[in-house]
Amino acid sequence: MKRTILNAKVLANLTCTMLLSSATFAYAGAAVVTNSDQTQQLSQEYGQMTPTAVSETTWRAISNWSTDSVSLLEFIADNDEEFELERYVDVLIRDYRDGDVVAQFQALDKTVLDLWSQAMDEASYEDNFLFTRYAAQYKPALFDQWLKNNRALTLAEYLQQQSPQLYETWYNEHAAPKRKGLSVLEYDKTLPSEVYAELKDLLNKLPLGGERSQCACQMITPLTSSGHVVTNYPSSPSNWSDYSSDDSGLSKHKLDFKTTAYGAFHSGDGERWSKHKVYGYDSSINHNSSEFYVKMLCADTNGYDCNQSNTCSGNLEVRGTYAARFHVTGQAKKIWSKATNSHSADGAKFAVDLPGAAPEIVLFNKAGGAAMSYNTGWDINSVLGALKAALGITAAIVSDNPGSLLDGQLASDLITNIAGMITRSGNEATVNSTMRARFDSSDVSPFMLQPNEVYHFTLDSNARVKARGYGGYSDSHFEYGSSGAIMYAANQFTCASGVTPPLPTGLWFYADQSGPDSIASLRSDVETWLSMQLNKPVSAGQSQGLVH
C-alpha cells in the first residue's frame, strides 16, 4: 500500500478540490468522478521521489557506503566459524514444529525451493535446520523478511550477544559505513568536491507535491558513457580478412569476417573459400554484455541511513529476452573438391547478483547454432562446447524448438539450461535456425527490493564461428545475429510512517543486431510490459531509458 504524507499546502489543495466537487454535484454528477480522480492523483503523487541518474563516481560512493566489503556470512565462512551460524540457526528454529519453517517461507514466496529440490523430504527437525541455513545463504532478502515477520534475531544481533569479539572484528574491518552510523557525505574524507555536491543535491531533493519527510527513498541508477544500462560493445564494426595467392597470381584462399555489437546483442558474418589447399578459420567472440543496477536509497538530508523499522520495501519485476538467428551454407561439389564445413553458434546467460553472500542466480542460460559438413572429421558439437564452457551451461545438448521461449518441463522457471544445434551434411547444404530464451519475474514472483542494497543484473553473450575446407574448390558461409531486451520495474512500495516513498520506476534497454526480432517488435514488448507494471502508458522510442 502506498503511503502519502500531507502538509498544509496539499491539504488546502485537497480541501478546495473537495469543495468544488461538492458544489458541482448539485448540477452534474459526472463531474464528481473527474474531480475524484484528480484528488486521487494528487494523493498518489504527493510524497513520492522521482528516480535519479547519478555519475559513475557518485554511484560508486553510494554503493561503497551501502555495501559490506565482506558480508557477515562470508566472514564466518572465511574464518571457519560456521559453528556459530549453526548455533544461530538452531536457536531460530527450536520452537517450530516439523515443516513449519518451510511453510512460512512458501507463504512469502512459492518459489523458495528453486535451488534445493530435496528440501523437506521427511519434514523432520533436521530438514527445518538445513532449510533455514539454505534460506539464509541463498535467499537473503526472503530470510530477512521471515525474520521480521517472526520478530527474530538477525545474525548480526545474535553474534553481538553470543560472540562479540567475532562480530566486532567483522564490524570494524569489513562492515559498510552505513552499518556504522556514518553519513554518505562523511564516511570518505577523500570524496571529490563534485561528488560531495552531487550527493548533497540528491539528499536535499524534494518529492512531487511538497516537503519531504525526515527520511526519503528514491531509486538511483548510474549514468555512464553508454547510458543507464552499462554496455560492452565495439565502438565500430570489427573486420578481419585474410588473402593469399601463388607466384602466378592464382588465388589460394580468402576470408572476410565482420562483427558488430550493441551491448550483449551482436552479429557476425563471414565467408571462407579455398582452392587446392586446406584452409580453416576458428574464432570465439568473447564476450559482449549489458548490465543494469537497481538501488533504492533511503536516507535523511544529512546522509544518514534512516534506521527505521521496515523503512521501505517494494517489488522488483524483471524481464530479459534473447533471440539468436543462425545461417550457414557450404559447397564442395566441383571437380577435385574434397570437403567443406561451416559452423555458427551463439549463447547468452542472464543472471542476478543479489545483496549479501548469496551466489549469482542464473535466470536463463541457453545456446544454439547451425552447422553443415561434408567429408570432414571435425566435431560439430565442439562449437557449442566452447559456449557451454564460457557461459556455464551444464545441460546436455538437445534439439532446439525454434520460436519457443522456456523450453522443456523444467523443475524451476527461474533457470533454463538448454543448448541445441541443427546440423545437415552434404556437398552442398544450407541451414537456418533460431534460438530464444526468456525470463520474466511475472511468471514466478518479484524480487524483494530492500532499502540501501544493490541489485546487479547482467546479460552476457558469447558466439563462435568455425569453417574449413580443401580440395579443388570449397566455399563456406557462416553468420549469426541476436536481438532482445532487458528491463525492470520497481513498484508496490510499502513504507513506514514518516518515510517518503520512491516513485514507481522503470528502466529498459533493447537492441537488434541482425537478430530475429525487429526494433519495432522489441520496442512494443518493452512498452507493453512496462505499461502493465507501472500502470501507465510508456513510450520507449530510444533504445534505452528511465521512466517514472
Side-chain angles (χ1 to χ4, degrees), residues 63 145 282 336 394 469:
S63 297
Q145 184 62 45
D282 187 349
W336 310 120
T394 56

Side-chain angles (χ1 to χ4, degrees), residues 324-330 341-347 367-373 379-384 387 397-398 400 402 419-425 429-435 464-467 476-481:
R325 175 191 63 83
F326 312 98
H327 171 71
V328 296
T329 62
N341 66 34
S342 183
H343 303 188
S344 177
D346 187 21
M372 67 77 54
S373 63
D379 180 8
I380 58 177
N381 287 329
S382 66
V383 176
L384 273 181
L387 297 183
I397 296 175
V398 299
D400 192 32
M421 176 172 274
I422 295 178
T423 64
R424 190 166 294 130
S425 297
T430 298
V431 185
N432 296 288
S433 67
T434 304
M435 177 272 287
R464 192 180 183 198
V465 293
K466 191 173 181 180
S476 308
H477 180 80
F478 41 92
E479 62 182 83
Y480 63 89

Side-chain angles (χ1 to χ4, degrees), residues 402-428:
S404 63
L405 293 175
L406 289 175
D407 301 74
Q409 298 299 314
L410 303 174
S412 168
D413 286 340
L414 287 175
I415 300 176
T416 305
N417 286 329
I418 293 180
M421 176 172 274
I422 295 178
T423 64
R424 190 166 294 130
S425 297
N427 62 359
E428 183 177 22

Side-chain angles (χ1 to χ4, degrees), residues 317-528:
E317 298 282 8
V318 176
R319 177 176 170 87
T321 64
Y322 192 89
R325 175 191 63 83
F326 312 98
H327 171 71
V328 296
T329 62
Q331 186 181 88
K333 57 186 295 187
K334 295 184 180 180
I335 191 170
W336 310 120
S337 296
K338 301 297 184 183
T340 185
N341 66 34
S342 183
H343 303 188
S344 177
D346 187 21
K349 179 177 74 173
F350 188 38
V352 58
D353 183 12
L354 296 173
E360 175 186 80
I361 296 176
V362 177
L363 306 177
F364 69 65
N365 195 345
K366 190 173 180 183
M372 67 77 54
S373 63
Y374 173 63
N375 288 350
T376 176
W378 282 23
D379 180 8
I380 58 177
N381 287 329
S382 66
V383 176
L384 273 181
L387 297 183
K388 289 173 65 181
L391 295 169
I393 297 175
T394 56
I397 296 175
V398 299
S399 296
D400 192 32
N401 178 16
S404 63
L405 293 175
L406 289 175
D407 301 74
Q409 298 299 314
L410 303 174
S412 168
D413 286 340
L414 287 175
I415 300 176
T416 305
N417 286 329
I418 293 180
M421 176 172 274
I422 295 178
T423 64
R424 190 166 294 130
S425 297
N427 62 359
E428 183 177 22
T430 298
V431 185
N432 296 288
S433 67
T434 304
M435 177 272 287
R436 291 181 180 272
R438 182 193 71 183
F439 169 80
D440 191 335
S441 61
S442 303
D443 297 334
V444 277
S445 62
F447 296 94
M448 187 180 298
L449 184 61
Q450 296 292 329
N452 296 328
E453 299 287 359
V454 177
Y455 300 74
H456 181 203
F457 293 81
T458 306
L459 177 62
D460 291 297
S461 64
N462 289 77
R464 192 180 183 198
V465 293
K466 191 173 181 180
R468 182 173 180 264
Y470 62 94
Y473 176 87
S474 65
D475 178 76
S476 308
H477 180 80
F478 41 92
E479 62 182 83
Y480 63 89
S482 59
S483 54
I486 53 176
M487 63 202 88
Y488 80 73
N491 54 24
Q492 303 298 318
F493 296 106
T494 303
C495 301
S497 75
V499 178
T500 304
L503 204 66
T505 300
L507 176 146
W508 77 84
F509 172 75
Y510 62 83
D512 173 29
Q513 295 291 292
S514 301
D517 298 323
S518 68
I519 287 292
S521 66
L522 294 168
R523 174 180 175 177
S524 176
D525 180 41
V526 169
E527 291 177 343
T528 300

Side-chain angles (χ1 to χ4, degrees), residues 276-321:
H276 308 301
K277 65 176 294 183
V278 177
Y279 181 63
Y281 180 70
D282 187 349
S283 177
S284 292
I285 293 81
N286 298 311
H287 75 280
N288 298 108
S289 68
S290 297
E291 54 187 317
F292 64 79
Y293 296 86
V294 185
K295 182 181 181 64
M296 178 170 61
L297 175 67
C298 295
D300 62 23
T301 54
N302 294 313
Y304 291 98
D305 181 18
C306 295
N307 196 27
Q308 298 190 34
S309 176
N310 300 323
T311 306
C312 210
S313 63
N315 287 347
L316 179 61
E317 298 282 8
V318 176
R319 177 176 170 87
T321 64

